[in-house]
Amino acid sequence: MADPRPASTLLQGFLTDVVAVESIAAVPTILDVVCQTTGMGFAAIARVTDDRWVACAVKDDIAFGLEPGGELSLETTICHEIRQSGTAVVIDHVAEDPAFCGHHTPARYGFQSYISMPIVLPDGTFFGTLCAIDPKPAKLNTPAIVGMFKMFADLIGFHLDANQSLASRTAERDLYENIVQSDTAPICVFDTEYRLIAFNKAHNDEFFRVNGFTTKVGDIFPDLFIPEQAAVMRANMARALAGEAYKVEAVFGRAEFGQPCWEITYTPLRDAAGKVFGAFHQAHDISARLRAEAELQDAQDVLRQSQKLEVIGQLTGGVAHDFNNLLTVIKSSTDLLKRPDLAEARRGRYIEAISDTVDRAAKLTGQLLAFARRQTLQPKVFAACDSVRVLSEMLGTLTGSRIRVVTELPENDCFVNADPNQFDTALVNMAVNARDAMEGEGQLTVRVRAVERMPPVRAHPAVDGPFVAVSISDTGVGMTPETLGRIFEPFFTTKAVGQGTGLGLSQVFGFAKQSQGEVVVESVVGQGTTFTLYLPRVGGAIQAPERGEPTPVVDGHGTCVLVVEDNVEVGTFATQALAELGFATVWAADAGEALAELADDAGRFDVVFTDVMMPGMNGVDLAREIRRRHPGLPVILTSGYSHVLAQTGTGGFELLQKPYSVEQLSRTLLAVAMPDRTKRISDE
Ligand code: ADP
Ligand code: MG
């Protein structure tokens, strides 16, 4: 039979058994009582295994010669047989006992009386024996003596078991305590009154580090914190005590010791009936991690910004070229207009040409500025086709006239949830590469498709699900497998210095990944390349309201406008145009003048119309000041592009984008100055 006790016991030999028996306080008394009651001279408690007999406790008045830890050869003992049979052996007088008179054991050890009672642990395991011997015969086989031995053996078995389970429970407890104590994360346990019941070393080390003193059992934990943190701590603990296991991040500690941010995990503690009797938390100082994340975020922002600048550089070249063309149209139109005796019809055509050209120029700068505005990654649902449509109009500017741009869009809008600016940037990056690959001549195809599956790519398996696939194909030089393997690395470029930065495709790749998408490339050397951007397809967004027919220019009806504009040309134009439309105007050249006019008599104005970029106080600050001093007076801002707006927004004020048409100007002014009137006019 295998020994059921832990292997460690066997490894240590029998020392544990000897100690276990010795630790039972009653053992010497038991051995004394046994000897006195029976008149025998030697009594012992022995541990008997299937191959050893070891004395654990001994009373020896006959110089038998055994001590605790002493051993007899198992085969020479009767205990060996008792272990197998599990029953006691009692011999009053060996010489007269038919079963034992010829037995080798009495002969060997020279005894005439013998009694041995098995010690069995409560779980039924055989431990050993309680035995006694003497050279003289003794009267043992009586119910009283056998009963006494049985009772003592049971008592010893019971104690051994109790001590053993206590020891293993203590060991287990020590183990857990060691684990908790050596954990570097602060752990503390509290009861339903918010009192500390227990904590580990790290708890007090860390508490001291950030608060300058330590805690003790019985402290009302939240009360140890500065007031605003005490409230937070109490609320956190209350949640756990209400039975919720959860995680929070919060700042704890005093300013003078640094106030780290902690991630704290709460776990309620329940009794057998499931009732919460307390809870514990484990805390981690995550300040360093948060700092690292912020730094990474900053680094990524910088990278994104340089990727964007790269694209803007590309676009600016194209725009500048186109702009010169547009300016040429305007210049020649104005030259023609100056000619005397111009027929009215011609005159109209030239004016029309100028107006159209200005619209196109405005659109170009608008698109360029939309790119340039620094925006953080902000996913939103938008129609990919709309973006592609707007962008493909610009691609011609980018690629030059000998490259044909073909756009293939599906009938239905495909919606994606991604950052629209990054989406545009990615398309421009791929288009610029396509242009470069074609060396000035070929076809660039932009295609949008709704697909149900993303093909396997770079060791990733195929992914099922609705996707939008946007591909840009060129008929250019293509790529070798070596180049293909590296194109997404930041700064990898095969282009000459000044021609390429190697940032384009890393932006495309980063954008695809951030948007839970992928970018797939197919390329054949000498034939061309197709880049396909896969983005998860989502349900439609709210449809933008349909634009109605443009309404004719509205009349100012004597509405009084305070125009704030530092540029003389623009100011002259605005005031003259407004006067022609029936507005009354006062023109201030900067914020100071404007505030002076208002201080004079604010009541004469219906609305203030101010430029944003001005020397001195800017338009946004002026608008705020006016709102403060003259709360009822509406303010409209106007700007081409301003870093003030890019950084702080319009502060809630209406913005009219430059360049604006006279019609837009009057409409906006009226809408803001007298909303009721405008409504009536447009209802008519
Ligand atoms: P850059 O354009 O500044 O070199 P990119 O990251 O945009 O950086 O592109 C990296 C490289 O990938 C390019 O230098 C070029 O070798 C290759 N490449 C990208 N797109 C194409 C394409 N459409 N056809 C051929 N080669 C391409
Ligand atoms: Mg590129």
Side-chain angles (χ1 to χ4, degrees):
M1 192 177 87
D3 196 308
R5 298 165 33 105
S8 61
T9 315
L10 291 177
L11 289 178
Q12 288 167 17
F14 288 76
L15 187 61
T16 345
D17 293 324
V18 176
V19 171
V21 172
E22 267 179 359
S23 69
I24 304 170
V27 161
T29 316
I30 290 173
L31 296 182
D32 274 352
V33 172
V34 162
C35 288
Q36 275 169 27
T37 319
T38 59
M40 297 167 93
F42 177 91
I45 294 167
R47 167 80 170 119
V48 183
T49 65
D50 56 6
D51 62 348
R52 314 263 301 260
W53 188 106
V54 178
C56 295
V58 178
K59 177 173 170 64
D60 184 4
D61 295 335
I62 54 171
F64 186 74
L66 257 189
E67 288 186 352
E71 193 166 352
L72 298 179
S73 167
L74 184 66
E75 304 75 40
T76 66
T77 70
I78 299 177
C79 295
H80 176 48
E81 292 152 29
I82 295 171
R83 179 185 159 82
Q84 278 158 0
S85 68
T87 50
V89 171
V90 185
I91 315 166
D92 288 357
H93 191 175
V94 171
E96 289 173 4
D97 191 301
F100 284 95
C101 60
H103 196 281
H104 60 93
T105 301
R108 177 177 178 131
Y109 294 113
F111 60 77
Q112 285 300 326
S113 53
Y114 174 90
I115 178 164
S116 182
M117 183 62 71
I119 299 172
V120 180
L121 301 180
D123 69 353
T125 334
F126 178 85
F127 175 81
T129 57
L130 169 64
C131 53
I133 56 172
D134 197 84
K136 302 182 301 299
K139 187 75 200 123
L140 300 176
N141 209 344
T142 68
I145 301 285
V146 174
M148 178 185 73
F149 268 78
K150 173 89 176 82
M151 190 196 75
F152 282 153
D154 286 351
L155 192 68
I156 293 163
F158 170 80
H159 271 291
L160 284 172
D161 178 65
N163 287 352
Q164 157 119 35
S165 43
L166 183 66
S168 59
R169 270 208 299 275
T170 311
E172 195 178 8
R173 212 201 80 125
D174 287 353
L175 177 69
Y176 285 131
E177 176 159 350
N178 272 334
I179 293 171
V180 174
Q181 282 299 356
S182 57
D183 197 328
T184 52
I187 298 172
C188 79
V189 191
F190 48 90
D191 65 12
T192 51
E193 305 296 312
Y194 303 85
R195 272 188 306 247
L196 287 180
I197 317 176
F199 45 76
N200 67 351
K201 185 173 172 315
H203 163 83
N204 252 346
D205 289 351
E206 290 290 84
F207 192 90
F208 182 82
R209 175 170 72 89
V210 300
N211 288 296
F213 60 97
T214 55
T215 69
K216 57 184 187 316
V217 167
D219 281 344
I220 306 285
F221 191 53
D223 293 354
L224 304 178
F225 293 91
I226 53 176
E228 63 269 26
Q229 295 175 3
V232 177
M233 180 52 82
R234 188 170 276 274
N236 286 352
M237 292 165 82
R239 261 175 86 180
L241 291 172
E244 189 182 349
Y246 72 104
K247 211 178 253 191
V248 280
E249 286 179 15
V251 168
F252 287 107
R254 299 185 187 227
E256 62 268 40
F257 299 107
Q259 294 180 309
C261 183
W262 302 89
E263 183 186 80
I264 313 179
T265 312
Y266 284 92
T267 313
L269 292 168
R270 296 171 190 278
D271 62 17
K275 187 167 172 296
V276 175
F277 66 89
F280 71 92
H281 81 214
Q282 189 181 34
H284 291 275
D285 180 349
I286 55 167
S287 312
R289 192 186 83 198
L290 294 180
R291 254 195 315 277
E293 282 170 4
E295 277 163 18
L296 180 64
Q297 183 64 47
D298 286 351
Q300 283 174 343
D301 283 352
V302 170
L303 177 63
R304 255 199 299 281
Q305 190 63 10
S306 41
Q307 286 167 338
K308 200 162 69 185
L309 287 176
E310 145 85 348
V311 170
I312 292 164
Q314 297 281 1
L315 287 174
T316 319
V319 169
H321 176 259
D322 269 26
F323 228 83
N324 280 333
N325 289 340
L326 298 175
L327 290 177
T328 312
V329 173
I330 295 171
K331 177 77 182 137
S332 29
S333 301
T334 47
D335 285 348
L336 291 170
L337 278 173
K338 281 182 201 147
R339 288 199 319 206
D341 312 327
L342 198 60
E344 200 47 44
R346 285 233 166 151
R347 219 178 130 79
R349 264 213 312 283
Y350 294 143
I351 291 172
E352 193 62 27
I354 293 172
S355 173
D356 281 357
T357 313
V358 169
D359 282 350
R360 282 176 59 202
K363 196 162 164 190
L364 266 180
T365 48
Q367 282 160 335
L368 191 61
L369 289 173
F371 264 102
R373 282 190 189 114
R374 185 181 175 134
Q375 265 150 350
T376 47
L377 193 62
Q378 220 171 44
K380 67 174 203 190
V381 174
F382 66 94
C385 297
D386 288 351
S387 292
V388 170
R389 208 173 284 124
V390 171
L391 215 81
S392 52
E393 285 173 28
M394 261 188 110
L395 290 183
T397 334
L398 202 69
T399 51
S401 55
R402 285 184 307 142
I403 290 179
R404 219 159 75 84
V405 178
V406 177
T407 314
E408 295 174 13
L409 299 175
E411 281 194 359
N412 295 326
D413 265 336
C414 292
F415 290 97
V416 293
N417 185 12
D419 176 55
N421 289 299
Q422 295 255 5
F423 178 80
D424 291 353
T425 307
L427 292 192
V428 172
N429 274 323
M430 292 189 285
V432 168
N433 285 345
R435 173 199 69 190
D436 293 350
M438 291 188 278
E439 284 147 4
E441 194 149 15
Q443 175 168 321
L444 188 158
T445 312
V446 188
R447 246 178 110 197
V448 180
R449 283 170 303 145
V451 296
E452 299 309 324
R453 185 164 203 262
M454 182 159 73
V457 52
R458 287 181 296 277
H460 298 299
V463 180
D464 285 327
F467 286 95
V468 176
V470 183
S471 50
I472 303 231
S473 309
D474 64 60
T475 53
V477 293
M479 280 175 273
T480 61
E482 293 74 51
T483 305
L484 265 175
R486 302 193 53 194
I487 50 173
F488 295 114
E489 288 173 23
F491 306 111
F492 172 80
T493 178
T494 56
K495 297 172 192 171
V497 177
Q499 306 277 300
T501 58
L503 285 175
L505 290 179
S506 73
Q507 184 274 333
V508 176
F509 184 80
F511 165 68
K513 287 289 178 188
Q514 271 163 348
S515 315
Q516 278 74 51
E518 264 297 352
V519 47
V520 177
V521 202
E522 294 143 293
S523 186
V524 178
V525 174
Q527 293 188 16
T529 304
T530 298
F531 279 86
T532 306
L533 186 59
Y534 286 89
L535 296 172
R537 181 151 47 92
V538 297
I542 310 114
Q543 206 63 38
E546 286 288 313
R547 294 259 163 84
E549 281 294 295
T551 35
V553 170
V554 284
D555 188 83
H557 297 284
T559 305
C560 185
V561 187
L562 174 59
V563 178
V564 192
E565 173 63 65
D566 63 306
N567 182 295
V568 180
E569 282 83 32
V570 178
T572 312
F573 162 76
T575 43
Q576 279 176 4
L578 285 172
E580 258 166 51
L581 289 171
F583 288 87
T585 59
V586 174
W587 177 10
D590 59 28
E593 267 185 38
L595 289 172
E597 289 287 351
L598 288 169
D600 241 22
D601 174 15
R604 64 199 146 122
F605 298 112
D606 296 303
V607 57
V608 180
F609 179 61
T610 176
D611 190 21
V612 172
M613 292 298 284
M614 295 184 294
M617 184 189 277
N618 70 47
V620 178
D621 290 340
L622 171 65
R624 289 210 180 91
E625 191 56 28
I626 293 173
R627 181 153 62 186
R628 199 177 65 77
R629 294 191 196 177
H630 313 281
L633 185 58
V635 181
I636 301 170
L637 304 174
T638 179
S639 172
Y641 169 69
S642 119
H643 61 81
V644 178
L645 290 178
Q647 279 162 11
T648 64
T650 63
F653 295 98
E654 187 86 13
L655 175 73
L656 184 61
Q657 199 83 42
K658 277 184 190 170
Y660 48 80
S661 67
V662 173
E663 196 258 331
Q664 281 171 317
L665 173 61
S666 68
R667 199 157 277 288
T668 311
L669 285 174
L670 284 177
V672 171
M674 38 194 66
D676 301 341
R677 166 104 62 107
T678 329
K679 191 169 173 302
R680 220 176 50 236
I681 292 168
S682 52
D683 285 350
E684 275 161 9

